[in-house]
Amino acid sequence: MTLDFASRLTLKPLARLLAVALLPLALAACNGSDDNDDAPASPIVSAPPAVDPTPDPTPAPDVPARNTAYLNAKAGDVIQVTIDALHPTQAAIGYDQIYYKLGRWQGDFNRLWAGDAARQLDYLDRTVGKKFDDYCEDMGGVERAEKFADLAVARAARLDQPATFACKDAPGTHAENLKTVVVGWDGNLYLTDGHHTFSSLREIFDGGPKLPVWVKVDANYSSLPTAAAFWQRMVDERRAWLRDGQNQAITVDQLPSRLGLASADEAGGMQEDRYRSLVYFTRDIAYQNGNLPEFAEFLWGDWLRRQVAAGQLPALDQYKTAAPATPAQILAASTLSSTLVPGGANDSYAAAVRDASLKMGALADTDIVFDDRQAQTLGRIPLAANVAAGVSIKSQRDTLEELPRVDVKADGSPRNAGKLWFAVNYRNCGKPAAGTCWGW
């Protein structure tokens, strides 16, 4: 029996018992939104627990060994772990969101900016420096303590060498910024928010599975007797997204065993969900990422797929979002007028974002997006209502136009490039470097 996220609200008692009975009994280790930073503040505890994290050496016969490190963790506790200790509760991620991070976080140290050392350092602060700002924020440390003093400092800074950089506040200080976990029936940590954040950190060259990270405990379900009981509760409480990269229902035993992109070199990675990437790029155009329920972007992705199926929105395949289209075709700018009249390219990646945003923004606050989730609870920005009321939507229009923006101003100085520009170039060209298709 397939227990998907959508069906759990309508399970009758008998059907629920049957679903639980059919859930895999041998499971072990394998938010707002997935990357929501607006959870309420919680008390800080010292990290990590002093208990030996090795499994109990004498488990009862036929009972999987338990991780004893977190059995006493309470809701609100802040703990330090490594990325490989976190187990996914969703099967897929938006690869282009990861590619944006990997593209921006890896500035080209050999890019000379016409021999101007100040511009070179400014460029590295906007790219490599962004990696440390993001890490500090997501680990509850606000941001970097200071910008790079010089090129040598920038070159030496590494995430996996904490002595080479500093956050404004100590990691774990601001618990409201931390991603959340649930302690499972087996004592392991199951991630309910932050799959994209930690996957990006796992993929970056100075991150990886052993990178120290801080998380906040949202609940402890280690008292549940079986894997079936644990996963039933996770589904009931909407702490798992049981869909694959094509939005098809899966069972819990089909969840990936690790965070990060799927790879031929390492088993167990996460699948690509292209509509999850699309929704990410509509952020601050069609929805706001603040205080959203877990998996909110997947709910929007499901809704967009249903608009496609109903003929109300072109399928993503009808736009130029990847090869064999050229980067220039993929990154062609699309626009909106102050009265929501589309302009610019109609078949580029930005056009797909624009058209999806218009559909999302046309919903009323009380319109249902998924199950009982209303548009207003999923952060929807009312584009149509704003125009009708004469309220400016300049911010949303600017965000759309900035998505494919290059990283050089007209005067030759560096600036923050658009998210699509980084994502598309990284997917096509790999790490930023001179002489590649990045363009310098």
Side-chain angles (χ1 to χ4, degrees):
M1 177 179 178
T2 298
L3 182 59
D4 64 35
F5 185 72
S7 66
R8 63 128 195 115
L9 288 175
T10 58
L11 282 174
K12 300 300 182 181
L14 178 58
R16 179 170 301 186
L17 289 174
L18 289 173
V20 172
L22 291 175
L23 282 170
L25 298 179
L27 285 174
C30 312
N31 40 87
S33 69
D34 177 37
D35 290 310
N36 178 31
D37 294 328
D38 296 292
S42 303
I44 305 296
V45 299
S46 60
V51 182
D52 183 358
T54 56
D56 184 343
T58 57
D62 301 323
V63 177
R66 305 182 81 201
N67 183 347
T68 61
Y70 313 108
L71 295 180
N72 296 322
K74 303 180 299 297
D77 283 355
V78 172
I79 56 177
Q80 179 187 342
V81 298
T82 54
I83 291 176
D84 60 358
L86 304 172
H87 299 278
T89 55
Q90 65 191 50
I93 50 179
Y95 276 26
D96 285 335
Q97 181 174 340
I98 307 299
Y99 292 150
Y100 155 61
K101 293 289 187 180
L102 296 178
R104 181 162 186 179
W105 287 354
Q106 300 184 88
D108 180 5
F109 282 93
N110 297 317
R111 192 175 179 186
L112 299 180
W113 294 89
D116 188 327
R119 285 184 174 181
Q120 182 184 21
L121 194 59
D122 181 19
Y123 159 72
L124 293 174
D125 261 317
R126 294 172 183 272
T127 53
V128 179
K130 172 68 170 171
K131 173 177 62 178
F132 296 97
D133 285 332
D134 287 349
Y135 178 81
C136 289
E137 178 181 1
D138 290 327
M139 298 308 117
V142 184
E143 59 187 6
R144 280 182 297 167
E146 58 186 12
K147 292 185 176 182
F148 297 134
D150 52 43
L151 183 60
V153 172
R155 285 185 178 276
R158 291 180 60 100
L159 290 174
D160 56 4
Q161 296 179 14
T164 64
F165 72 98
C167 298
K168 185 175 180 180
D169 294 330
T173 300
H174 300 276
E176 67 274 13
N177 289 344
L178 298 177
K179 309 310 177 186
T180 52
V181 296
V182 167
V183 181
W185 74 287
D186 52 5
N188 288 316
L189 300 178
Y190 291 85
L191 190 65
T192 58
D193 175 33
H195 291 78
H196 288 79
T197 292
F198 293 125
S199 290
S200 299
L201 291 171
R202 195 184 193 280
E203 295 294 331
I204 195 70
F205 72 94
D206 56 343
K210 297 299 181 182
L211 184 71
V213 294
W214 283 256
V215 293
K216 183 173 64 176
V217 177
D218 199 40
N220 188 328
Y221 295 152
S222 60
S223 62
L224 294 175
T226 65
F230 168 68
W231 284 108
Q232 184 66 66
R233 185 158 184 176
M234 292 288 283
V235 169
D236 287 347
E237 295 181 353
R238 302 181 179 186
R239 298 180 190 267
W241 179 251
L242 298 183
R243 303 282 184 91
D244 65 14
Q246 302 300 317
N247 202 42
Q248 299 301 304
I250 62 172
T251 56
V252 295
D253 59 321
Q254 294 174 290
L255 287 170
S257 60
R258 64 169 178 86
L259 298 169
L261 307 178
S263 168
D265 299 325
E266 183 183 8
M270 305 186 74
Q271 300 175 30
E272 178 174 16
D273 185 330
R274 296 174 63 215
Y275 279 86
R276 175 61 180 77
S277 292
L278 175 63
V279 172
Y280 172 70
F281 294 120
T282 69
R283 184 178 294 182
D284 297 325
I285 305 171
Y287 82 102
Q288 295 173 321
N289 181 41
N291 196 30
L292 301 184
E294 281 88 350
F295 312 112
E297 282 94 345
F298 285 106
L299 306 189
W300 279 118
D302 177 87
W303 184 84
L304 289 173
R305 283 180 163 103
R306 283 185 275 118
Q307 303 313 299
V308 171
Q312 301 299 309
L313 183 70
L316 198 50
D317 288 338
Q318 296 184 36
Y319 299 91
K320 295 180 173 67
T321 63
T326 66
Q329 292 174 317
I330 299 169
L331 291 170
S334 293
T335 62
L336 282 174
S337 73
S338 60
T339 55
L340 299 183
V341 176
N346 288 316
D347 61 353
S348 67
Y349 207 148
V353 174
R354 179 197 65 197
D355 296 346
S357 296
L358 285 171
K359 294 297 295 183
M360 295 163 68
L363 291 172
D365 281 349
T366 56
D367 283 344
I368 297 298
V369 175
F370 187 93
D371 283 350
D372 61 346
R373 299 291 196 184
Q374 296 179 344
Q376 62 182 345
T377 67
L378 297 179
R380 166 254 185 187
I381 298 174
L383 294 177
N386 279 350
V387 172
V391 177
S392 172
I393 58 168
K394 184 178 185 306
S395 176
Q396 291 92 316
R397 294 168 61 206
D398 288 348
T399 299
L400 173 64
E401 292 184 24
E402 289 168 1
L403 285 174
R405 185 175 69 180
V406 301
D407 67 346
V408 183
K409 294 180 182 178
D411 65 1
S413 61
R415 67 177 176 186
N416 296 335
K419 292 179 178 179
L420 273 179
W421 186 82
F422 280 114
V424 169
N425 278 303
Y426 188 86
R427 182 187 279 271
N428 283 277
C429 313
K431 180 180 177 180
T436 67
C437 53
W438 281 89
W440 60 82

